[in-house]
Amino acid sequence: MVPEEYNDCVVTRSAVLVSTYEMGRQPFGLASASAWLRAEGWSVACLDLAKQRLRDADVAAADLVAFHLPMHTATRLAGPVIARVHHLNPAARLCAFGLYGPLNQQWLQSLGVTDVLGGEFEEDLASVARDVAAARPAVPGSRPGSLPKIHFLVPDRSGLPALSAYVTLQRPEGGRRIVGYTEASRGCRHLCRHCPVVPVYNGQFRVVQPEIVLADIAAQVAAGAGHITFGDPDFFNGPTHAMRIVEALHEAHASVSYDVTIKVEHLLRHRDLIPRLSATGCAFVTSAVESVDDGVLGLFDKGHTRADFITAVGVCRDAGVTLAPTFVAFHPWLTLESYCNLLETIEQLDLVEHVAPIQLAIRLLVPDGSRLLTLPEMRQHLGAFDANTLTHRWSHPDPRVDQLQADVMALVGVRLATDRRLLFEQVRALARDRAGLPPAPADTHPARARATVPYLNEPWYC
């Protein structure tokens, strides 16, 4: 875009990009969007409201304000901010982009948002900017069509708080590392019913060109990063592409570690690659195990079984890679006894220190667009859509389970930095008492500190 010229005065359009929460990491979505808008000739300001305060002057003169909504928590936090910006600057074009944009389109429009962009948002955001510059009126709604294959630009992180202000990697040998974040791919080949990626990508995934990923990593290493989180929904959707990137990362920055997210199904299918992850500096692998009940795993359409999970633990342990499981601990099919079984399975597999305590309290979210809404077994538990929580509320048929979830959340939710073993034992004692089971036998594992397992000190995952 060529800036408009009036009487030899150049008029530069201004955009403000807003993030409310990206799991304690420097906002990648803002950095990528910023690169595209600056390539269009725009002046861009980035605001990370997890680290900065929104001031009226920040948005009062903006032509375009765009909100990144990559997750549920970020979307809920964005609501009052969008309303405030619309009040402060009603002439600004408001845009929402990211996974949770299309899932909440009507709600966003009610707040004044005109453009709702999904997963591959960059080209569409640049198009919105051109519309604004040309004074073309907005057509409220999502931009239809299939997901484009984009040639990405290197994210532009200028104007964002320094990486040192964000999450750090806690290492078993002691000390911390500054953490960077990038994406080697987006979307997912799989159709897990509870996953927010599915309604937007519908089984598709898109790779980011390796030279773009590696340039982004190099810039973050130069800025102080000693560890990189790959935010791909599943790093092994394209295993050849993934391994090419981490091997190049290790060759260029041998001391830099990284972490990835990989399905249990892919850990087993590509088990020959796990030792190569270890050899190239993988500190840990996050895997959305969700449940240890085969019936529930079938309802979620996860593609693995309880036995597969147990096998994957052994595969990773043999390769020297830490496996960090995540769970949807509370759902309509849970019983007090099966929750206790989940805890005992974690204990028996010696994974207590691998599991962030908040994972023991996570309750199933059912946003608009979720494949769970097509499931008769789910619909019988659902209430009306709640615009305050942006979810379809559900109640457990056994009120004792809902009460246990509330009590576990109260126990761990304000003590996220407490020793994991101590919190686990407290949760287990509570659960067994509620289930009418005798206290668990004394722990026979050798005492060890939480720091024997690498982890990021931002434990939320939703």
Side-chain angles (χ1 to χ4, degrees), residues 60-283:
D63 300 292
L64 171 65
V65 183
F67 300 84
H68 188 217
L69 309 178
M71 55 194 301
H72 183 259
T73 300
T75 307
R76 291 188 62 186
L77 291 173
V81 182
I82 295 171
R84 179 180 172 192
V85 170
H86 188 48
H87 173 74
L88 291 171
N89 186 355
R93 183 86 160 255
L94 301 188
C95 175
F97 63 100
L99 281 179
Y100 274 79
L103 296 181
N104 296 284
Q105 178 179 322
Q106 291 185 340
W107 175 75
L108 290 165
Q109 287 177 286
S110 75
L111 298 175
V113 173
T114 56
D115 302 278
V116 180
L117 314 178
E120 305 301 282
F121 60 82
E122 284 87 352
E123 283 185 347
D124 283 341
L125 183 59
S127 179
V128 170
R130 289 191 289 271
D131 287 348
V132 173
R136 287 190 286 267
V139 179
S142 297
R143 299 207 165 206
S146 60
L147 291 164
K149 293 183 178 180
I150 297 174
H151 189 89
F152 292 88
L153 301 179
V154 179
D156 185 341
R157 300 173 183 275
S158 57
L160 284 167
L163 288 176
S164 57
Y166 292 93
V167 64
T168 58
L169 175 77
Q170 317 296 298
R171 300 193 293 163
E173 58 271 29
R176 300 181 178 185
R177 285 185 174 180
I178 293 173
V179 175
Y181 175 96
T182 195
E183 295 175 359
S185 65
R186 291 174 172 172
C188 187
R189 294 184 184 276
H190 300 271
L191 299 172
C192 302
R193 286 193 178 95
H194 63 303
C195 178
V197 175
V198 173
V200 177
Y201 283 89
N202 196 30
Q204 302 175 78
F205 92 109
R206 296 286 184 266
V207 301
V208 182
Q209 290 74 23
E211 65 273 16
I212 300 297
V213 182
L214 294 170
D216 187 32
I217 290 171
Q220 293 181 83
V221 172
H227 178 89
I228 299 293
T229 289
F230 286 94
D232 310 41
D234 194 291
F235 200 61
F236 277 178
N237 271 311
T240 301
H241 171 71
M243 295 308 302
R244 183 181 296 126
I245 286 174
V246 295
E247 286 171 350
L249 160 62
H250 186 63
E251 182 177 356
H253 313 284
S255 65
V256 174
S257 57
Y258 65 89
D259 69 271
V260 297
T261 298
I262 303 176
K263 284 173 64 70
V264 169
E265 178 182 352
H266 285 170
L267 288 172
L268 299 184
R269 182 180 303 165
H270 305 293
R271 66 181 70 196
D272 58 308
L273 299 180
I274 310 305
R276 289 169 61 188
L277 292 179
S278 177
T280 53
C282 183

Side-chain angles (χ1 to χ4, degrees), residues 273-303:
L273 299 180
I274 310 305
R276 289 169 61 188
L277 292 179
S278 177
T280 53
C282 183
F284 63 90
V285 172
T286 299
S287 192
V289 176
E290 314 301 36
S291 176
V292 295
D293 183 305
D294 284 343
V296 175
L297 291 169
L299 291 170
F300 285 168
D301 200 8
K302 276 300 298 178

Side-chain angles (χ1 to χ4, degrees), residues 299-314:
L299 291 170
F300 285 168
D301 200 8
K302 276 300 298 178
H304 71 259
T305 64
R306 175 191 177 97
D308 291 336
F309 165 48
I310 294 171
T311 301
V313 171

